[in-house]
Amino acid sequence: MTRAPASRALESTPLWLKLSSYLVLSDEEKMYLADLERTIDRVSPRTDLLQQGERYRDVRIMREGWAIRHKALPDGRRQVVNFVLPGDIIGMYCTLFESADHSVTTLTPVEVASFPPEKIGELFRSFPRLAAALAWSGAREEAIVAERLLSLGRRTALERTAHLIVELLRRLSVVNMVTDGHFVLPVTQEILADALGLSIVHINRTLRRLRDSGLIELNGQRITVNDVRQLASVGQFDELYLHLIRAPRRLERAFSGAHHHNGARMDGENRPKA
Amino acid sequence: MTRAPASRALESTPLWLKLSSYLVLSDEEKMYLADLERTIDRVSPRTDLLQQGERYRDVRIMREGWAIRHKALPDGRRQVVNFVLPGDIIGMYCTLFESADHSVTTLTPVEVASFPPEKIGELFRSFPRLAAALAWSGAREEAIVAERLLSLGRRTALERTAHLIVELLRRLSVVNMVTDGHFVLPVTQEILADALGLSIVHINRTLRRLRDSGLIELNGQRITVNDVRQLASVGQFDELYLHLIRAPRRLERAFSGAHHHNGARMDGENRPKA
DNA sequence: AGGCGGCCACAACATAGGTTAATCGGCCGA
DNA sequence: TCGGCCGATTAACCTATGTTGTGGCCGCCT
């Protein structure tokens, strides 16, 4: 793990992009966020950022690369709970727990920022709108896991696989990682299998079917989605669960501090005072 | 739905019991919590407290009875995401989303409290320790869903079923709903099937196996767990994911407000449970 | 260059779990 | 009291997915 200076503090980081799709945030908030992303580590592929049973440390922001959040059974069976993509947060509520009930492992070279969990409290106090945006990001993660539960419980292998591909497409779009319907999927079939609750052989069969039907193409790690509509329909994909809609108006009342009398609007370009 | 006056405002509600297992809270905090639970509704069995696609309204606290959180596919297949037990919160972060991606339906007569979501912001500002405890409860829910994902993806039918029974036993214990290893399981086999991603027939077979092996007994809605250890071992149950351990010390730094000088210590007279 | 390990691919076979269908008992409303 | 309905139970049969095993490709090390 290499620690490196932040090179693009005031550029648009993936997290910033993601949060911006939800809430218009002020420059001041952008600066605070940039500060959270100041301490940066570079991590090699196939490295654990966190291990099941281990004590939690810092909160982390994924800036670049892919990782997986996964849980293992004592006998080695493994389930990938979710993919960690640029702009995702790792262990946002880690202070609340004594130790981690899952592992996080990098798939590619990764760039992560870390900050001490106390910052979260500070955030809620001083930048409630930003905190709300982060809370949204966290709640959305839960929604994604719940949707994957629906997949594993009630969708067939073909449906699950199609659904996952569309989900990744949508999530990656938000952070500008999709061009013309294709993106890099730095994932072995074993990992896909562990994410979808299938055997590696069956994932292979299923991908073949999707390729044969012309819905997707695979060249190495690049996947091209030829017909999103149809793929989404195969996977019974309904993007409601991604909660991509902008923040509802009522958010202001709930999260902005009553002790900040600045009249800031939740959906405007206004900003609360520090 | 009948609205009724709160009858036991200052008694120990299930939520209070649950939070107390995590954090020792002050009388002031108890009173604030009681205030959140002041507006109470009674709801009949098989009633939706929330419907997929519907706009979110209030935050709710389950005080009595059971409900399920579930998601449905357009063709009717259904997955139960989680059981909502007394002391659980429904839609804690509901302000953040425009509309619900799941439904919540009662299984028994239910007593729920409702409060407007703005209270959550107030909570974070004025009662940070209580807010931390609620955040813990929410984060734990996510952990439970992730563990169920592991079940559906990688555990066999027998393992899943055993695991769920032990999980319910543990969760119900915290709110004093278990006596001598037996509790009321107000659930049809169809619901169990939908929770475990199995067919109704196969759940039946599986329960039979568990009964035949003497691990559990079923009489109507009462289930008796004869040998928790062994049942846990069948289900590869590791309670780590329930995060039942008392709040870590570092919590105080993160969540307590810097502008609050109430002298309450985050870890009170706590000690980790054996 | 040769060998090795990781990953993909596919065929042949095995099985956990799904489906269909029939029976039974309990509860409730007419 | 008599249906009628809902849920549990079980048997017989079926299929989606798992398992085992082989071969091929490619990159990497020595």
Side-chain angles (χ1 to χ4, degrees), chain B residues 36-270:
Chain B
L36 289 181
E37 295 195 47
R38 211 179 20 161
T39 307
I40 291 175
D41 293 307
R42 286 179 221 285
V43 185
S44 316
R46 292 156 193 266
T47 309
D48 284 345
L49 293 176
L50 182 70
Q51 273 184 348
Q52 210 165 349
E54 187 184 74
R55 218 187 150 82
Y56 274 114
R57 291 155 310 197
D58 284 350
V59 180
R60 295 183 137 144
I61 299 171
M62 194 78 169
R63 286 167 57 96
E64 200 181 309
W66 285 51
I68 45 175
R69 182 152 85 95
H70 54 106
K71 306 188 69 159
L73 253 20
D75 62 11
R77 282 175 287 175
R78 187 176 71 149
Q79 177 64 38
V80 170
V81 175
N82 204 356
F83 292 93
V84 184
L85 308 181
D88 289 346
I89 295 172
I90 302 169
M92 164 122 149
Y93 297 111
C94 67
T95 356
L96 301 171
F97 295 148
E98 187 59 30
S99 55
D101 61 2
H102 60 265
S103 305
V104 176
T105 305
T106 58
L107 299 178
T108 66
V110 148
E111 192 180 297
V112 273
S114 310
F115 62 88
E118 300 92 71
K119 293 272 185 179
I120 294 277
E122 192 179 307
L123 201 59
F124 272 89
R125 269 175 270 119
S126 310
F127 297 92
R129 295 172 78 249
L130 190 53
L134 287 178
W136 163 78
S137 162
R140 206 184 72 139
E141 248 242 55
E142 214 244 283
I144 290 171
V145 176
E147 182 74 21
R148 184 127 38 246
L149 190 70
L150 172 60
S151 273
L152 296 217
R154 292 308 185 207
R155 278 190 255 250
T156 67
L158 190 72
E159 292 166 346
R160 278 178 228 187
T161 309
H163 189 277
L164 177 62
I165 293 169
V166 179
E167 175 187 309
L168 291 173
L169 188 76
R170 284 284 202 290
R171 288 173 61 191
L172 290 168
S173 298
V174 174
V175 290
N176 292 339
M177 289 173 71
V178 176
T179 20
D180 319 318
H182 66 79
F183 58 92
V184 177
L185 186 66
V187 142
T188 64
Q189 295 191 351
E190 181 176 11
I191 289 170
L192 277 184
D194 284 342
L196 295 174
L198 299 169
S199 71
I200 188 170
V201 174
H202 200 59
I203 257 292
N204 187 291
R205 287 197 271 251
T206 307
L207 288 174
R208 161 136 303 284
R209 282 179 63 192
L210 286 175
R211 265 189 293 172
D212 288 350
S213 64
L215 290 174
I216 64 169
E217 279 169 46
L218 290 167
N219 317 74
Q221 300 200 320
R222 160 186 293 197
I223 179 171
T224 309
V225 176
N226 289 321
D227 188 341
V228 202
R229 296 290 301 256
Q230 215 183 321
L231 194 63
S233 135
V234 168
Q236 311 232 38
F237 185 90
D238 172 355
E239 72 178 11
L240 179 61
Y241 78 98
L242 286 178
H243 298 284
L244 295 171
I245 296 174
R246 285 183 169 263
R249 241 154 217 286
R250 62 179 181 278
L251 184 56
E252 175 169 18
R253 275 175 294 146
F255 267 79
S256 71
H259 54 299
H260 276 283
H261 308 283
N262 61 6
R265 295 235 325 286
M266 214 62 190
D267 49 358
E269 55 266 55
N270 306 344

